[in-house]
Every structure is written in C-alpha cells, then in structure tokens.
Amino acid sequence: MKKVYLDNAATTAIRPEVIAQMAQVMQEEFGNPSSTHSFGRSAKNILELSRKTIAKQIGAQASEVIFTSCGTESNNWILRSAIVDLKVERIISSKIEHHAVLHTLEVLRDEFSIAVDYVDLTEGGLVDLNHLSELLAENVPTLVSLMHVNNEIGTVLDLAETARLCKQYGAHFHTDAVQSVGKVAIDLQQIPVDFLSASAHKFHGPKGIGFAFVRKGLVVHPMIWGGEQEKGLRAGTEGVHNVAGMAKALEISYTELGSEQAKIAQLRDHLLAQLQIHFRGFKVNGASPLYNIANILLPLPEEKTAMILFHLDMKGIAVSRGSACQSGSLRPSHVLAEILSEEDLCKPSLRISLSHYNTKDDIDYLISVLQSV
Ligand code: PLP
C-alpha cells in the first residue's frame, strides 16, 4: 500500500547521515564517558564535541547545553528548578502549551502553592503581548514559560519581544522550542532567553534524547540525582550514540535550512491551493503558522469528523487529529478549544505537518483521498 507521512510535528524520519553517525558510534565507541581510561575518554570526547556543535547552531556556549532524555524532561526540569532554585512565586504561561508544560504546571502549583497565570491569546492563537506586560507589571518573582512554535497550529511567538519584556520586568523566561529548534534560526546570543527546551526526534534525529539550554550564571539543581554526569545536573550514563545523532541532525538541519524551508513552504502553498480548488471554504486554524504546519478546518459535514482520520489511515496517510470532537477521543484538542467557536470545533480539522522528505505527489494523494471521504 502507498504510504504517505504527513505528521512531522509528531515526529520525523531520521536522516540517513544521522543513522550512519549513530551506527559508527555504537560500533566503535562503547566506552562509558565517565571512565577515565582511553575508551571512556574517547566517548567523552564525542559528547563534548557534540555539545559544542549543538551550542554553535543556536548561539549558545557549550556549557549552557545540558543533555536530557527528551523535550518533556527538559520542560519538567526547568519549570521545577525555577521554583526550587530561582524562587519564583508565579509562572505565566498560556492555555495552548504542550501538555509537557501544562500538566507539569498543575502538579507544581499543587506541590508548591505557586500562582499560575495564563496570558490572553488573540483570536488566531497568538500571545497577547500587551496582556503579558500587564501581568509582568504586577511585580511578583516570575518565570514566563511560552512555547516558540505551537505543535498543533504552528503559531509563532515573537521570541525577541517576549524576551525583551521579561528582561524589562525582571522575570525569567523559558521557551519550549521543541517545534522550532532545527526549523527556525535561533540566536541565543541576541535573544536573552534564560531557558530553552529541545528534542532531537523533531528535527530528524533519534528519539529519547533532547537538551535544555540554561543561561550561564543561573544556578539550578538536578531533578534526577546520582552520578556526576552533565556536571551533576542530570545523572545517568549518557546515550553517546543518541547525543552524537542529535548533534549531526541539528547541524544538517541548519546547514540545509534555507533550501529545505523553501521546499516545504512550496509544498504547503501547493496544499493550500489544492484545498482552495477542491474544498472551497476550508479554513486555516491559527494565525500565520510556521511554514511546515497547516491545521485546516474542512467544510465537510460534522458526521464525517469521526471517520476521516480512520479513512486516511486505511489509505496509508498519516496526519493528526485537529478537531475536538474527532476520533472518538474523550480528550478534546485543548489548543483548538481555545481558538475555535463551538460550531467549528465539531467540524473536521486536520493537522498536516510537512518535512523536506514530502513530495507534491504526497499532497495530491492526500487531496484525492480526502475527496473520497
Ligand atoms: N513540547 C512540544 C511543543 C512538543 O511538540 C512536544 C512533542 O510533541 C514536546 C514538548 C515533548 O517532546 P518529547 O516528545 O521529546 O518529550
């Protein structure tokens, strides 16, 4: 059966160069990086070179990059540290963050009795920076935690302006950049973000590895205790092959960013043009989404909502659920619930997320299968 993968915001295919790099490390570098003999030193060397490579891509210093197991772990660690180590009494976030932030905030609020405020969003799901200013003006020791790119609708935070506001009011700033690292140029030398979370499997790297950027000078303590790995900040023997794969994936993503972005943007234009022809009246959910994500509301009857993903799956097409009433899920999309009317929420919405591996044929196949729904 023909298979078409259009769910790249969920995860991405690993680049062949990354697999080759990881295989080489697994075959030749099995030493424990904490061992002092030559096998260990060689593995440690790979870790540190990878750290440098990653830091260079985002304008960070190598010492500011801490390896973790994933984006979720980075988010958990940073949010907890802000309370325990930086003594913030309030976290400002938004209702459309990933659950790795939202659910963590609920737990932390109960555990530490901190305040959690949610910034207003515009109709299209953008953060209302005027409201953020008003909240910040209240002058409580605060961490702002706002995602750079939304994983469901692709909306983009003005990172520079948000960081500037946080600085102006003396608040710390964390950004969940899991959907933007490797897809958008980020220069942390220019933008005064304090903390950032990233995950390799979103930029054509392996799963089970991510990193946290922690700005130099911020004193944080570990969430996982044990050995002295990662300067004692994240104990546990490092997955050297995963780290090497992540560094390779990020380096290639940024080397190829211009051409891959252009290709993906063209594919999305083609998708939207085809939708315009065959599904007149369709809408894009979310204001000015990033070039790789199209969350679309289809002008189809409500009763088609439940079977549409199933139908696409039967035809070998992978996309993600967009709408709240869809796919028999008891959990609605908390993101669309914030930005759509009750009526639109029950209509079929799909998240189509692209990578440079997609082709015009993939889009045409999707359109033809959608027409047969
Ligand atoms: N944050 C965002 C915005 C995401 O899209 C995801 C993954 O879907 C995560 C966090 C969690 O990342 P990980 O899968 O590496 O735990």
Side-chain angles (χ1 to χ4, degrees):
M1 185 175 58
K2 191 173 165 76
K3 290 275 219 178
V4 170
Y5 187 75
L6 295 166
D7 200 15
N8 290 279
T11 198
T12 52
I14 308 183
R15 292 181 194 268
E17 304 93 316
V18 171
I19 294 174
Q21 172 85 16
M22 291 173 70
Q24 194 235 330
V25 171
M26 282 192 283
Q27 271 161 0
E28 295 167 22
E29 300 287 350
F30 63 88
N32 184 327
S34 297
S35 300
T36 51
H37 47 61
S38 65
F39 293 81
R41 289 198 308 274
S42 183
K44 177 89 177 159
N45 194 36
I46 293 172
L47 278 187
E48 295 317 317
L49 286 176
S50 301
R51 200 187 308 279
K52 266 194 198 155
T53 300
I54 289 168
K56 194 173 151 210
Q57 305 306 318
I58 55 170
Q61 295 180 25
S63 61
E64 295 172 318
V65 172
I66 314 295
F67 300 132
T68 64
S69 67
C70 59
T72 302
E73 183 189 326
S74 299
N75 284 340
N76 269 262
W77 178 42
I78 291 163
L79 294 173
R80 181 168 287 270
S81 286
I83 301 166
V84 175
D85 303 319
L86 305 180
K87 311 289 179 213
V88 307
E89 293 168 17
R90 174 180 67 162
I91 297 180
I92 300 175
S93 191
S94 85
K95 290 256 172 80
I96 60 169
E97 299 300 304
H98 190 273
H99 284 143
V101 166
L102 285 180
H103 289 165
T104 307
L105 288 180
E106 285 162 19
V107 169
L108 294 172
R109 176 167 50 193
D110 292 347
E111 192 176 336
F112 296 100
S113 303
I114 53 147
V116 177
D117 287 337
Y118 297 98
V119 68
D120 289 347
L121 301 167
T122 66
E123 224 173 273
L126 296 171
V127 167
D128 178 346
L129 291 176
N130 290 329
H131 185 228
L132 180 63
S133 292
E134 283 168 30
L135 289 172
L136 285 169
E138 288 166 13
N139 208 12
V140 184
T142 295
L143 173 80
V144 172
S145 178
L146 290 170
M147 69 205 311
H148 188 190
V149 170
N150 185 281
N151 52 301
E152 288 197 34
I153 52 176
T155 43
V156 185
L157 179 74
D158 184 339
L159 208 56
E161 181 57 11
T162 308
R164 193 193 66 72
L165 281 174
C166 291
K167 251 216 146 22
Q168 179 186 340
Y169 290 101
H172 292 292
F173 179 34
H174 162 241
T175 189
D176 173 347
V178 166
Q179 290 291 342
S180 63
V181 166
K183 296 173 193 138
V184 180
I186 295 176
D187 185 354
L188 296 171
Q189 246 172 12
Q190 299 299 322
I191 302 178
V193 166
D194 292 309
F195 301 101
L196 173 147
S197 309
S199 180
H201 75 98
K202 305 288 187 180
F203 51 81
H204 304 283
K207 293 174 182 57
I209 187 76
F211 67 89
F213 162 84
V214 177
R215 176 82 59 189
K216 196 175 176 177
L218 292 169
V219 179
V220 291
H221 291 98
M223 188 173 71
I224 292 173
W225 303 86
E228 279 304 303
Q229 294 90 353
E230 300 300 290
K231 295 176 284 178
L233 288 174
R234 204 288 185 176
T237 302
E238 302 90 340
V240 183
H241 59 296
N242 267 344
V243 169
M246 173 162 67
K248 188 75 172 173
L250 194 61
E251 190 177 31
I252 301 176
S253 288
Y254 278 122
T255 307
E256 302 298 328
L257 185 65
S259 60
E260 291 182 354
Q261 177 172 343
K263 178 178 177 192
I264 295 167
Q266 244 180 17
L267 285 176
R268 195 185 53 181
D269 288 349
H270 178 62
L271 167 70
L272 297 180
Q274 288 299 304
L275 286 168
Q276 189 59 31
I277 295 168
H278 300 287
F279 293 91
R280 239 172 206 293
F282 86 97
K283 287 189 216 162
V284 174
N285 298 319
S288 316
L290 196 65
Y291 58 90
N292 60 332
I293 295 183
N295 192 314
I296 51 158
L297 189 148
L298 294 169
L300 295 175
E302 226 173 90
E303 57 274 15
K304 297 223 168 170
T305 302
M307 43 78 72
I308 195 163
L309 267 197
F310 176 71
H311 182 76
L312 291 174
D313 189 28
M314 293 306 289
K315 297 284 183 187
I317 300 175
V319 298
S320 254
R321 169 189 85 118
S323 59
C325 310
Q326 205 164 306
S327 72
S329 165
L330 296 175
R331 284 171 186 259
S333 153
H334 65 285
V335 175
L336 292 187
E338 287 299 316
I339 64 162
L340 294 187
S341 66
E342 285 290 317
E343 193 193 343
D344 278 354
L345 211 43
C346 285
K347 289 187 188 147
S349 283
L350 296 177
R351 179 188 70 183
I352 297 153
S353 47
L354 306 164
S355 85
H356 63 283
Y357 290 126
N358 288 122
T359 62
K360 201 163 158 277
D361 275 357
D362 292 345
I363 306 292
D364 293 340
Y365 182 55
L366 169 73
I367 295 289
S368 71
V369 172
L370 277 177
Q371 282 179 284
S372 68
V373 167

